């Protein structure tokens, strides 16, 4: 099997490439190398490396010319700084996906298409009210957050809510520009699948961490931000009260989910998660080595907040287990202990 991996030099894409090569696949990588000075040495030497922007129509046309399947990982990631980032996100994520799909359409491609999506498409996660059952969370207001009232209220009665795992059937509710582009990526790919007959799967990654993760930038995830702080001897700064619940999943497991999806006939969305939810404070403590005698500063819970952040989003991994045969194999403690000691990119 010959597979195109867009963004194959990046954090997640490079691990997908490695696992595909290990299974005997021929791999074409299309990557702009915007985050690199040269093709990274960690890519297997057998890879057919194409350096080009995903919006380069001629380069994309050549890259898709003889492939049997596509793993679309290329994207501008993170939540951005503010709405001034909107044109860059839409250009890279929406327009880049459109160029890829048009090239596939013109080639009459009907092979397997797997696209990288994200938990951010859900907005807030799933919540239950003791009176009304499953409900939408009401908006978190700045005045409540300033007073330390971080839990979202029931949208019907205002009572406190408890979180529950969110399944793929939940409605999408993007709360930032990046999330909106991920929803659109899924929708464009689904349209392509219906029109072409190509089987399409969208993998909704939860909080991915591990080797080759980018360093602390305005676009980095919380795991990278905390890991960068620990590496430089600073205490991780934990926003709100640290009780935000997330699912932290190791990049090796995420890559394996992609390989399983490429070899599956499942069509639709699947959460890619560990099934072991932890709080943000738990993660900060794990990276600091708290309780292990490590000479690292303990996390500081600051009470700071960002109005656009969601409180809890935890995945149900049931569909991925049933549809793809995917279950995470790297536990939280094992993964975080290893992550403390790997270099960031």
């Amino acid at each position: 099997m010959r597979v195109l991996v867009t963004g194959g030099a990046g954090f997640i894409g490079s691990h997908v490439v490695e696992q595909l090569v290990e299974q005997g696949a021929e791999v074409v990588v299309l990557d702009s190398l915007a985050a690199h000075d040269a093709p990274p040495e960690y890519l297997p030497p057998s890879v057919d490396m194409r350096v080009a922007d995903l919006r380069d129509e001629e380069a994309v046309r050549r890259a898709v010319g003889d492939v049997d399947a596509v793993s679309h990982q290329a994207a501008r990631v993170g939540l951005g700084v503010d709405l001034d980032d909107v044109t860059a996100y839409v250009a890279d994520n929406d327009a880049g996906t459109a160029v890829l799909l048009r090239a596939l359409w013109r080639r009459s491609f009907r092979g397997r298409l797997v696209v990288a999506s994200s938990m951010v498409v859900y907005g807030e996660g799933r919540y239950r009210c003791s009176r009304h059952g499953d409900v939408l969370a009401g908006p978190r207001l700045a005045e409540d957050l300033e007073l330390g009232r971080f839990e979202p209220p029931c949208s019907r009665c205002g009572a406190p809510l408890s979180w529950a795992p969110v399944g793929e059937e939940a409605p999408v509710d993007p709360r930032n520009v990046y999330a909106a582009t991920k929803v659109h990526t899924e929708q464009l790919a689904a349209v392509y699948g219906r029109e072409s007959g190509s089987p399409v799967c969208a993998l909704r990654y939860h909080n991915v961490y591990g080797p080759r993760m980018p360093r602390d930038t305005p676009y980095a995830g919380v795991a990278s931000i905390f890991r960068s702080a620990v590496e430089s001897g600073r205490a991780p700064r934990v926003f709100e009260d640290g009780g935000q619940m997330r699912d932290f999943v190791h990049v090796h497991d995420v890559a394996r989910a992609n390989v399983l999806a490429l070899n599956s006939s499942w069509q639709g969305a699947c959460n890619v998660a560990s099934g072991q939810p932890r709080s943000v404070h738990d993660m900060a403590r794990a990276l600091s080595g708290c309780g292990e005698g490590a000479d690292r500063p303990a996390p500081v819970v600051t009470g700071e907040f960002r109005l656009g952040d969601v409180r809890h989003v935890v995945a149900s991994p049931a569909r991925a287990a049933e549809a793809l045969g995917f279950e995470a194999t790297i536990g939280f403690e094992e993964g975080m202990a290893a992550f403390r000691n790997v270099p960031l990119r």
Side-chain angles (χ1 to χ4, degrees):
M1 181 168 67
R2 187 168 171 85
V3 184
L4 169 65
V5 182
T6 70
F11 169 41
I12 296 173
S14 65
H15 290 281
V16 175
V17 169
E18 281 186 338
Q19 292 195 22
L20 284 170
V21 169
E22 287 171 2
Q23 292 200 2
E26 296 180 24
V27 179
V28 180
V29 167
L30 183 69
D31 198 298
S32 68
L33 298 185
H36 304 269
D37 297 325
E41 294 181 358
Y42 49 69
L43 286 179
S46 64
V47 165
D48 181 356
M49 182 74 205
R50 315 286 183 92
V51 180
D53 191 285
L54 192 58
R55 292 168 293 169
D56 182 335
E57 297 198 23
E58 180 58 24
V60 175
R61 182 192 66 79
R62 292 194 300 267
V64 305
D66 60 352
V67 299
D68 305 301
V70 176
S71 173
H72 179 31
Q73 305 293 320
R76 180 178 291 265
V77 299
L79 303 184
V81 177
D82 54 38
L83 202 63
D84 196 55
D85 290 326
V86 63
T87 54
Y89 274 92
V90 170
D92 287 348
N93 299 355
D94 295 79
T97 297
V99 169
L100 172 65
L101 296 178
R102 183 162 69 171
L104 293 173
W105 176 260
R106 288 179 171 177
R107 206 209 106 179
S108 300
F109 175 83
R110 291 184 174 85
R112 183 65 160 159
L113 173 60
V114 175
V115 298
S117 187
S118 170
M119 68 174 191
V120 297
V121 302
Y122 297 120
E124 285 284 356
R126 182 182 176 192
Y127 290 92
R128 288 175 177 162
C129 173
S130 59
R131 291 180 57 192
H132 299 108
D134 280 9
V135 296
L136 293 176
R140 299 201 300 165
L141 304 177
E143 51 265 37
D144 288 332
L145 297 173
E146 288 168 356
L147 293 172
R149 295 196 289 259
F150 299 120
E151 297 294 338
C154 174
S155 56
R156 296 178 63 182
C157 67
L161 300 173
S162 58
W163 62 267
V166 61
E168 293 85 351
E169 71 285 349
V172 295
D173 181 22
R175 301 289 181 94
N176 55 65
V177 170
Y178 170 64
T181 65
K182 283 285 133 179
V183 170
H184 201 205
T185 292
E186 286 195 25
Q187 292 172 335
L188 288 172
V191 170
Y192 181 84
R194 286 193 295 271
E195 293 290 324
S196 69
S198 179
V200 176
C201 178
L203 299 181
R204 292 174 176 171
Y205 305 153
H206 284 250
N207 290 76
V208 187
Y209 70 96
R212 303 175 198 154
M213 195 170 196
R215 289 184 177 276
D216 182 3
T217 75
Y219 304 94
V222 66
S224 175
I225 292 170
F226 288 174
R227 173 66 176 76
S228 295
V230 169
E231 187 177 53
S232 63
R234 295 179 286 112
R237 295 178 61 82
V238 180
F239 279 18
E240 300 186 16
D241 60 358
Q244 308 93 308
M245 297 300 295
R246 297 291 188 269
D247 189 301
F248 300 98
V249 57
H250 197 277
V251 68
H252 290 167
D253 280 326
V254 173
R256 189 165 53 83
N258 274 273
V259 174
L260 288 169
L262 284 165
N263 287 289
S264 166
S265 60
W266 169 259
Q267 300 186 58
C270 283
N271 288 324
V272 177
S274 72
Q276 300 178 15
R278 294 289 194 278
S279 73
V280 171
H281 194 221
D282 287 341
M283 193 261 290
R285 286 178 55 83
L287 287 180
S288 297
C290 292
E292 299 179 16
D295 185 21
R296 301 184 183 95
V300 176
V301 178
T302 69
E304 297 171 86
F305 63 88
R306 295 183 299 188
L307 195 57
D309 284 353
V310 299
R311 179 62 176 173
H312 306 299
V313 55
V314 171
S316 168
R319 179 182 288 180
E322 180 179 354
L324 306 179
F326 170 74
E327 293 183 2
T329 60
I330 300 176
F332 178 81
E333 289 79 10
E334 173 194 358
M336 288 294 169
F339 185 46
R340 288 201 301 263
N341 300 307
V342 300
L344 299 177
R345 196 179 76 227

